[in-house]
Amino acid sequence: MQNFEPIYQQYYEDVFRFLRGLSADEHLAEELTQETFFRALRSIDTYQGKSELRVWLCAIAKNLYYSHCKKQKRSAPAPDADIPDNMSVPLTELIADRDMALRIHKALHDLKDPYKEIFTLRIFGELSFREIGEIFGKSEHWACVSFHRAKAMLQKQMKEELK
């Protein structure tokens, strides 16, 4: 493809949201989104058109994210960002929301594949069941059933945690 800019403009936000959902880190999502488009541009001639371009880009993004996670396991975790002094939300509410978000992400992390990935693609990546099925080489129905199973597993795990 001669001009990659329209592809970048059309799919940037989708890939960024997908990666932000996977990583829960806006800066990492931005970095990996840029790398996704760089790699897509380098290998656009290998795109066969069997799936939507957005699905292909999200598959590249997913692989980059997993590679990043593997590298991070070998290094120390980054320190938490400082909380600004001039917050409009009371600190107790922020802590409660962050605590709940962390508990949800931990529960999601504990899910087995493919349920973890399917849930992430659907909720954070905002992909359709058809697109998720394409990524896995399965049917739309399979993706839908798997998503609802993942959701039920998460709900069960969260209820057990609250006991």
Side-chain angles (χ1 to χ4, degrees):
M1 287 189 181
Q2 298 267 342
N3 188 3
F4 198 73
E5 184 66 23
I7 293 170
Y8 180 84
Q9 293 295 326
Q10 183 175 355
Y11 296 106
Y12 176 86
E13 192 63 33
D14 291 334
V15 173
F16 173 75
R17 281 190 320 225
F18 170 70
L19 284 166
R20 188 180 59 206
L22 277 177
S23 67
D25 179 336
E26 196 159 329
H27 297 291
L28 177 61
E30 175 72 32
E31 184 179 319
L32 292 177
T33 300
Q34 295 298 328
E35 182 66 20
T36 296
F37 281 98
F38 175 71
R39 291 203 183 175
L41 177 60
R42 280 194 336 205
S43 61
I44 192 70
D45 56 326
T46 65
Y47 174 65
Q48 299 173 354
K50 293 181 180 177
S51 65
E52 283 187 38
L53 192 55
R54 177 169 65 134
V55 172
W56 182 68
L57 290 168
C58 286
I60 294 170
K62 175 189 72 164
N63 291 333
L64 282 170
Y65 174 70
Y66 286 152
S67 294
H68 170 79
C69 288
K70 286 177 186 175
K71 289 177 189 176
Q72 291 304 308
K73 285 183 179 179
R74 292 182 229 133
S75 63
D80 289 341
D82 292 334
I83 298 172
D85 293 335
N86 59 348
M87 293 173 34
S88 60
V89 177
L91 184 58
T92 54
E93 287 182 30
L94 178 65
I95 291 170
D97 289 346
R98 289 186 68 174
D99 182 52
M100 179 56 83
L102 180 61
R103 288 182 19 227
I104 292 169
H105 278 287
K106 282 181 180 179
L108 182 58
H109 179 73
D110 290 340
L111 276 183
K112 302 286 184 220
D113 282 325
Y115 299 108
K116 174 179 16 181
E117 187 173 350
I118 291 167
F119 188 86
T120 301
L121 289 170
R122 179 69 179 173
I123 298 300
F124 301 119
E126 299 180 5
L127 296 182
S128 69
F129 291 126
R130 184 182 55 76
E131 292 166 329
I132 294 168
E134 285 180 20
I135 289 173
F136 283 92
K138 305 277 187 176
S139 70
E140 181 177 347
H141 177 73
W142 175 87
C144 181
V145 168
S146 297
F147 169 77
H148 288 288
R149 286 179 182 163
K151 184 177 165 184
M153 288 179 215
L154 278 174
Q155 288 172 333
K156 180 181 177 188
Q157 191 171 346
M158 294 300 291
K159 285 178 184 176
E160 288 174 2
E161 184 182 309
L162 292 174
K163 288 183 181 179

